[in-house]
Amino acid sequence: MSAKVVTIGQLIQKCLKQAYFLPQKPSSYSKGYRFLNDKKYRMYDCPPSSLNFDRLLYPFRHLPAAGNEIPIIMECKPPEYLQQHWRRWLPAFPPPVIKSLDEGLQDDIPVITTGALQGIPEEKHSVHPDILYKLQLKSSIQEVGVLCPKHMDINSVSFPCAVKADLSSGGRGNWLVKNESELSATLRQIRGVCEWKDGVVFEEFIPSVKEVPSFQFYLHKSGEIFWVGTTSGGFINRFAWIKGSVDWDRQDEYRDLVHEEFTLPISNYLLDHGYFGLVTFEVLFTDHGNYLVDVNPRIGGDTTHLLLARHIASEIGLKHSAIFCKNKHNNMTAGMLVEKADQNNGKGESIIAVLSTMDADKGCESYLSIFAKNPEEVQQLFHQLNN
């Protein structure tokens, strides 16, 4: 495996000689969606994203660094102009091999999924869906055996308190409540409006948080760990993740910071339960201790960005970058957005990689990775793209 170019397929292939990668996520509220988990493996994503988000925008963002070692199966292929954009500005990464869902689900080759899916057979999951679902529950974090916020019983909640649906998506299903009245209103929303009948976690509030980095590694069947990287910042309202910044010069520092305290216990816990694959975890850093607050055994929202950043930092020298998620561009179409990114990249001073984009009712939406010489330029390029 090249130290300069690492693909998702390369990582998977060390564990599975044959596999498919299905980058679409499950939903429990998106009616008419192919991967609706309405009876089993339920996920709190109320209100749901649009069908186009689930079928296009969300899965496309995983493709630029997917590689060609493991075929991708999905409902729709990205438009040719987006694939051409990837080939032009990310030439070291081979174009993905994309097949239809029907083709990928008719044989006995295992499928790497982002979560447990009731719509495909248990034996097709690379990790049994019952195990995968359990490991993704927020209530399971306590089992890892490291310092994490205390979970409380509903009858003994202290305020302020974080209220979390046991499995959620896209920042939904998470609230910070400050008193009994807010708690009652939140539970009415969860149980009444959204009819969530599954678990709810009541978590102690941790004050004086300095930083909440997101750490990512690939856990092989052998127990070997490949460190993918770390992003920092990018949360709004404490829970919704919309941006992750990367300083490649600090990657070793971040890795070593959590290796003994969190990475090894998490990997041992997951291996003991039969999991292998990509893992993302988040840690609250405070003056009075570091707390594990999330473990996601699945491909992360910033996996592709980190794999691209590894190559671009070492080969091109652009060591500062950020991924910008769920962007709305009201003044241009998806094609215009890609064209504008191409124009910037032609100057040879920075790279704007459009990971995914789609036309919306007004303008277009996107996931973007921006690489530049310093963090100020990264932010400036993002604002210029919208203006």
Side-chain angles (χ1 to χ4, degrees), residues 173-193:
N174 299 278
W175 297 264
L176 181 64
V177 299
K178 300 175 183 177
N179 51 52
E180 192 69 45
S181 175
E182 290 186 2
L183 176 60
S184 297
T186 298
L187 291 175
R188 283 196 299 272
Q189 173 70 22
I190 298 172
R191 300 298 193 192
V193 176

Side-chain angles (χ1 to χ4, degrees), residues 105 117-125 129:
L105 296 178
L117 300 171
Q118 72 174 39
I120 69 173
E122 292 180 355
E123 61 273 14
K124 282 290 287 184
H125 289 78

